Amino acid sequence: MADINQAEKYVNMTDLNEPLSRGRKGGGAKRGEGATAGGKGSPMPEAKLHEFAELLFFAYRDFTGDPDAILKDFGFGRAHHRVLHFVNRHSGLRVADLLDILNITKQSLSRVLKQLIDQGFVEQQAGSSDRRERLLYPTERGRALAERLAAPQFVRLTNALEAAGPGAEAALRAFLEAMINAEDRPKVSSIMSTMPAETRQGDKGDGT
Amino acid sequence: MADINQAEKYVNMTDLNEPLSRGRKGGGAKRGEGATAGGKGSPMPEAKLHEFAELLFFAYRDFTGDPDAILKDFGFGRAHHRVLHFVNRHSGLRVADLLDILNITKQSLSRVLKQLIDQGFVEQQAGSSDRRERLLYPTERGRALAERLAAPQFVRLTNALEAAGPGAEAALRAFLEAMINAEDRPKVSSIMSTMPAETRQGDKGDGT
DNA sequence: TGGTTTATGTCAGCCATGTTGACTTAATTG
DNA sequence: CAATTAAGTCAACATGGCTGACATAAACCA
C-alpha cells in the first residue's frame, strides 16, 4: 500500500530551512503581506496536510473533552477513561494486554487501575488456565460509567459520520487504520475484533 | 471522589440523553444496537461507533507519537510542539489567540512559551496598533524545528489520505469538522484560514 | 486627567499521569 | 527444584495541566 513515495519529499523538506521573509520586526511595521511559504505559488499540498493535522488536533481535543467533564465529577481523569473503556469493551483482558494497548508502564496503569478496582468499577479474576493472570472485567457500575462516558462521544461520532456522507465510512476507516503504526495494525485489529464477551476465561492467545 | 450516588446520577442522565443499550445487568448480557445519536438517520450500531472511537484513539496516539522522539532531543514535550506549530502556521498571533486555540491557562502556556522564546525558537513583537499585545513569530530555528516535527506527520497523513482513496478528502474534512464543538467551528475555520502571514493587526474579534 | 479595564507576565503550589529502577510474590514451566 | 513469567508495589522524578494572587504597561473612557 502506498509507500512513502509521495511522502518522501516531505521528509526531505525537513532539512530545508527556507529563508522565509517573515519577520517584519520593528515597531511600526505593519504586517500586511504574505511571504507565506516556500515560494511555490500553487496551492501547496503542505497546506492541505497542515489543515488535516490541525483538524485532527481540534477534533480529538473535543472528542475527549466531553468525557473529561464527566470524569471530573468522579475524581477520575482521562487515564481512567481509557482503562475503563478497554476493560468494558474487551472484558476479560489481562493486565499485560492493557499495557500493550495503552503503551504505558505497569506502574502508570497500576495507579489508575487500582482506583478503579477499589471503587468498584473494575473487577479482577484469576485466569482459569493460568492463575497468575488477572483478567479484568467491568462491574455493573463500571459498565454504567463506561456507557455514560461513551454517550456524548457516540453523539459526536454519529453526527460526524453523517456529515461525512453515507459512503464515507469505509474510506474513513481506511484513513484511520493507515494512521496507525504499521507494525501495530495487526494488534489493533486483533483487539478490535475481540468482542466484549464476558465469556472469555482462559483466552490469552490474542497473538501478541 | 464521587460516591456511587453521583455515579448513578450520571447514569440516569445517560438515559435521559440517549437510549443507549443499558441491558447487560448481572454480568451476562449482550450488546445491543440502536443508538441513534442526533436523532436523524438510521440507527448507528454501537459496535461500529466503538470501533471508530478506538481507531481514533490509536490513530491519534501514533500521530502524536512521531514527533515526540524528536522533541526529546531538544528537551521539549508535546506542549512545545503544539505551541510551535500554531506559531509557525499562524505567525503573528497573539498570546490570547494561542490560549484560545489550545484551551489551556496562560500559566501553562507561559511555561512552554518562555522556554521556546529563551531558546530562540519563537520571537515576540509588540503589536503595532495595540502595544500591549505580544505577537508571536517563529525564528528561523523555530521554523526549522516545526518542519522537522511536521515531516513524519506529513508522511503519515499522506499515506493515510491515499489509503482513504482519492475522493475521500472532502468527506474526511467534513467528518473532522463535525467532530469539533459546533460553537468552536467558526473559530477554527478562522484560525485555519489565517495564512501563516502577518496579516493581522489589532484583530481581536475573531468571533469567540 | 485619572480611574478602570485589558493583555500579558510571574510566583507559588497542587494534581494527574507519564517515566525509570529495584524488588516481592505467586504460579507456571522446563 | 530452578528459572521464568504475570502482576503488584515502593520510591523518586518529569511534564504539563490547574488555581490563586499579584505586577506592569497600555488602552480606554468619563
Side-chain angles (χ1 to χ4, degrees), chain B residues 22-180:
Chain B
R22 47 202 109 116
R24 116 181 99 292
K25 311 281 186 195
K30 53 173 182 195
R31 295 271 150 176
E33 316 217 329
T36 47
K40 32 200 159 152
S42 45
M44 194 65 73
E46 205 180 323
K48 187 171 70 183
L49 294 174
H50 272 298
E51 283 176 33
F52 273 106
E54 294 187 355
L55 280 173
L56 208 50
F57 165 75
F58 289 115
Y60 195 78
R61 185 196 64 177
D62 290 349
F63 180 66
T64 57
D66 267 338
D68 285 354
I70 301 167
L71 287 158
K72 220 179 282 183
D73 296 336
F74 291 80
F76 290 154
R78 203 170 294 175
H80 300 85
H81 186 194
R82 289 194 285 259
V83 170
L84 186 57
H85 168 88
F86 284 104
V87 168
N88 186 49
R89 286 301 296 171
H90 311 287
S91 51
L93 45 54
R94 299 168 305 158
V95 170
D97 297 326
L98 210 38
L99 292 177
D100 207 34
I101 288 171
L102 300 175
N103 270 353
I104 59 176
T105 60
K106 67 176 173 179
Q107 293 92 333
S108 295
L109 173 60
S110 175
R111 190 157 33 200
V112 293
L113 182 56
K114 200 179 181 202
Q115 292 175 279
L116 288 169
I117 291 170
D118 288 349
Q119 295 177 46
F121 293 91
V122 171
E123 281 180 340
Q124 286 178 314
Q125 175 186 338
S128 59
S129 64
D130 184 340
R131 293 201 320 278
R132 290 172 304 179
E133 296 176 347
R134 303 300 161 89
L135 308 186
L136 302 171
Y137 298 91
T139 63
E140 192 84 5
R141 222 178 150 195
R143 281 189 292 273
L145 178 54
E147 282 166 17
R148 191 182 307 259
L149 294 170
Q153 297 191 315
F154 280 2
V155 174
R156 195 178 290 269
L157 274 173
T158 301
N159 289 334
L161 287 171
E162 191 176 304
E169 274 177 32
L172 215 71
R173 216 180 273 263
F175 171 82
L176 291 172
E177 279 170 9
M179 289 287 289
I180 299 169

Side-chain angles (χ1 to χ4, degrees), chain A residues 1-4 6-8 10-11 13-37 46-63 66 70 73-75 82 85-86 88-90 100-103 119 121 140-141 143-145 147-148 150-151 153-165 168-169 171-181 184 188 191-192 196 198, chain B residues 1-4 6-7 10-11 13-14 17-18 20-22 24-29 31 35 37-38 40-41 44 46-63 66 82 85-86 88-91 100-103 123 125-129 135 137-138 140 143-144 147-148 150-151 153-164 168-169 171-181 184 188 191-192 195-201:
Chain A
M1 154 108 355
D3 324 305
I4 323 216
Q6 259 196 332
E8 193 100 45
Y10 296 119
V11 174
M13 196 192 62
T14 297
D15 298 80
L16 308 166
N17 333 349
E18 6 186 344
L20 306 180
S21 60
R22 245 200 222 141
R24 242 140 234 71
K25 315 276 139 70
K30 63 163 52 171
R31 300 159 288 298
E33 63 259 41
T36 320
E46 298 129 59
K48 186 177 70 180
L49 294 173
H50 271 300
E51 282 175 34
F52 274 106
E54 294 188 356
L55 280 174
L56 210 49
F57 166 75
F58 289 115
Y60 195 78
R61 185 196 65 178
D62 289 350
F63 181 66
D66 275 335
I70 301 166
D73 294 335
F74 290 83
R82 289 194 284 259
H85 168 87
F86 284 105
N88 186 48
R89 285 301 295 171
H90 312 286
D100 207 35
I101 289 170
L102 300 175
N103 270 354
Q119 295 176 45
F121 292 91
E140 190 162 344
R141 190 187 309 169
R143 281 190 291 272
L145 178 54
E147 283 169 16
R148 164 68 186 138
Q153 297 191 314
F154 279 2
V155 174
R156 194 178 291 269
L157 272 174
T158 300
N159 289 335
L161 287 171
E162 191 175 302
E169 273 175 34
L172 213 66
R173 214 179 274 261
F175 172 82
L176 291 173
E177 279 170 9
M179 289 288 288
I180 299 170
N181 284 340
D184 288 342
V188 168
I191 290 162
M192 295 209 309
E198 290 82 357
Chain B
M1 255 203 248
D3 314 85
I4 299 85
Q6 281 219 332
Y10 280 100
V11 170
M13 283 175 62
T14 298
N17 289 344
E18 288 296 307
L20 294 172
S21 76
R22 47 202 109 116
R24 116 181 99 292
K25 311 281 186 195
R31 295 271 150 176
K40 32 200 159 152
M44 194 65 73
E46 205 180 323
K48 187 171 70 183
L49 294 174
H50 272 298
E51 283 176 33
F52 273 106
E54 294 187 355
L55 280 173
L56 208 50
F57 165 75
F58 289 115
Y60 195 78
R61 185 196 64 177
D62 290 349
F63 180 66
D66 267 338
R82 289 194 285 259
H85 168 88
F86 284 104
N88 186 49
R89 286 301 296 171
H90 311 287
S91 51
D100 207 34
I101 288 171
L102 300 175
N103 270 353
E123 281 180 340
Q125 175 186 338
S128 59
S129 64
L135 308 186
Y137 298 91
E140 192 84 5
R143 281 189 292 273
E147 282 166 17
R148 191 182 307 259
Q153 297 191 315
F154 280 2
V155 174
R156 195 178 290 269
L157 274 173
T158 301
N159 289 334
L161 287 171
E162 191 176 304
E169 274 177 32
L172 215 71
R173 216 180 273 263
F175 171 82
L176 291 172
E177 279 170 9
M179 289 287 289
I180 299 169
N181 285 340
D184 289 341
V188 168
I191 290 162
M192 293 209 311
M195 286 289 102
E198 294 72 14
T199 7
R200 24 171 68 248
Q201 287 269 12

